[in-house]
Amino acid sequence: MTIPAIDSLTDRVVLLTGVTGDIGATYLSAFTRAGAHVVATDLPNAEDAGQRLVADATAAGPGRAVFVGCDITDGEGVQRAVDTATKEFGGLHSVVNNAAIYRTLGGKRPLVELTEADWDLVLRVNVIGTWQVIKAAAPVLAASGQGRIVNIASVVSRNGAPGFAHYVASKAAVEGLTRSAARELGVSGTTVNSVSPGLVDDGATRELNTDEYLAMAARARAIPRAMVPEDLVGAVLWLSGPASGFVTGQTLVVDGGGVFV
Ligand SMILES: NC(=O)c1ccc[n+]([C@@H]2O[C@H](COP(=O)([O-])OP(=O)(O)OC[C@H]3O[C@@H](n4cnc5c(N)ncnc54)[C@H](O)[C@@H]3O)[C@@H](O)[C@H]2O)c1
């Protein structure tokens, strides 16, 4: 067996969802810098921002990126994004399920104030949407013989987080979906893992939390500083690449040692 080069993402094709958030945009530029080609997706109403991001990422190279507007809860739209990978780049090796309802949670609310509609939306996007992407991508990933799926969960499902019961439950479900998908898709060489970020100091988090809460989260870490999107890049790119091919069904916590699992 050839020893894989751990930094070799050259010419891998990646489907990345939620690209216009601060974290998704960081993954996009990390992938194209590493030589991967990216089908970058977000909601259709994020088309302008998405097109700007893929133009910048392609200009920086060496990888190329294209934008496809699609809602991950819409199976046909998701299929269009997967088909774009084949048409533009000849196939698909990796999927990063990063899209979620997070910034748009609209603030913290006690669970007794949440409505069924709140739960429906968050579970539909964060869990069913993630499943839709896995479902559409699985056959093309299998054809590559070295498929990788990285689902973005969150450490909140370990500690809980007041004010976000539906979001926390959705991220716990993502971990369960990861394990089941790993069991089903491993036979075709596809690995499925979760990356579980701690509280990232990005635009979305700042809309939802106070400075004091962010400072408290930073102090609770073994590495006591603010977490930034760039802190996630190593874990996500490694799990998307050839070197992690015998790691599957796992959740990798990236939070500077806030929780140990
Ligand atoms: N920021 C944090 O502290 C933090 C911590 C742990 C986990 N996460 C996770 O990391 C990921 C990125 O977080 P972020 O801070 O950039 O959040 P964000 O809310 O800014 O970005 C989420 C992206 O998903 C997109 N999206 C939402 N609904 C969609 C749908 N139905 N179809 C397609 N796209 C949709 C949004 O348009 C947005 O671009 C999310 O999965 C989030 O849950 C974030």
Side-chain angles (χ1 to χ4, degrees):
M1 191 176 176
T2 320
I3 296 177
I6 64 165
D7 57 352
S8 175
L9 291 178
T10 303
D11 290 335
R12 275 186 86 86
V13 182
V14 180
L15 175 63
L16 167 66
T17 66
V19 72
T20 70
D22 292 344
I23 296 177
T26 303
Y27 297 149
L28 169 63
S29 74
F31 274 120
T32 53
R33 275 162 202 257
H37 305 305
V38 183
V39 176
T41 76
D42 209 308
L43 288 167
N45 65 14
E47 174 92 28
D48 290 350
Q51 293 293 359
R52 272 196 303 277
L53 286 166
V54 297
D56 290 350
T58 299
R64 277 199 303 126
V66 296
F67 180 78
V68 177
C70 81
D71 185 324
I72 57 168
T73 67
D74 164 24
E76 285 177 17
V78 170
Q79 189 61 55
R80 246 192 348 268
V82 170
D83 292 346
T84 301
T86 305
K87 280 188 206 129
E88 285 283 330
F89 303 121
L92 183 65
H93 302 97
S94 311
V95 168
V96 179
N97 271 312
N98 170 70
I101 300 289
Y102 176 58
R103 184 192 284 260
T104 44
L105 283 168
K108 297 187 182 184
R109 271 168 307 151
L111 65 88
V112 292
E113 288 176 17
L114 293 174
T115 65
E116 283 189 34
D118 295 326
W119 278 90
D120 283 345
L121 176 66
V122 168
L123 295 180
R124 176 151 288 283
V125 174
N126 297 8
V127 186
I128 300 178
T130 299
W131 162 76
Q132 289 277 20
V133 178
I134 294 173
K135 178 185 170 195
V140 200
L141 292 171
S144 82
Q146 45 172 284
R148 303 280 180 270
I149 298 173
V150 182
N151 298 322
I152 305 301
S154 171
V155 287
V156 291
S157 61
R158 319 232 147 212
N159 285 339
F164 294 128
H166 51 345
Y167 174 77
V168 174
S170 76
K171 291 298 186 175
V174 165
E175 288 192 40
L177 173 60
T178 296
R179 294 184 192 116
S180 284
R183 291 262 175 229
E184 290 194 26
L185 304 182
V187 70
S188 63
T190 296
T191 66
V192 191
N193 293 288
S194 297
V195 167
S196 215
L199 190 71
V200 179
D201 191 349
D202 68 353
T205 290
R206 289 211 163 256
E207 274 188 26
L208 296 164
N209 296 280
T210 60
D211 288 353
E212 193 187 357
Y213 191 82
L214 275 152
M216 188 191 68
R219 279 196 305 274
R221 296 182 174 128
I223 302 169
R225 66 158 172 81
M227 179 171 171
V228 292
E230 289 77 2
D231 288 319
L232 290 159
V233 163
V236 169
L237 266 63
W238 175 63
L239 287 172
S240 302
S244 57
F246 209 52
V247 178
T248 195
Q250 306 302 311
T251 298
L252 180 50
V253 173
V254 181
D255 77 336
V259 299
F260 294 147
V261 292

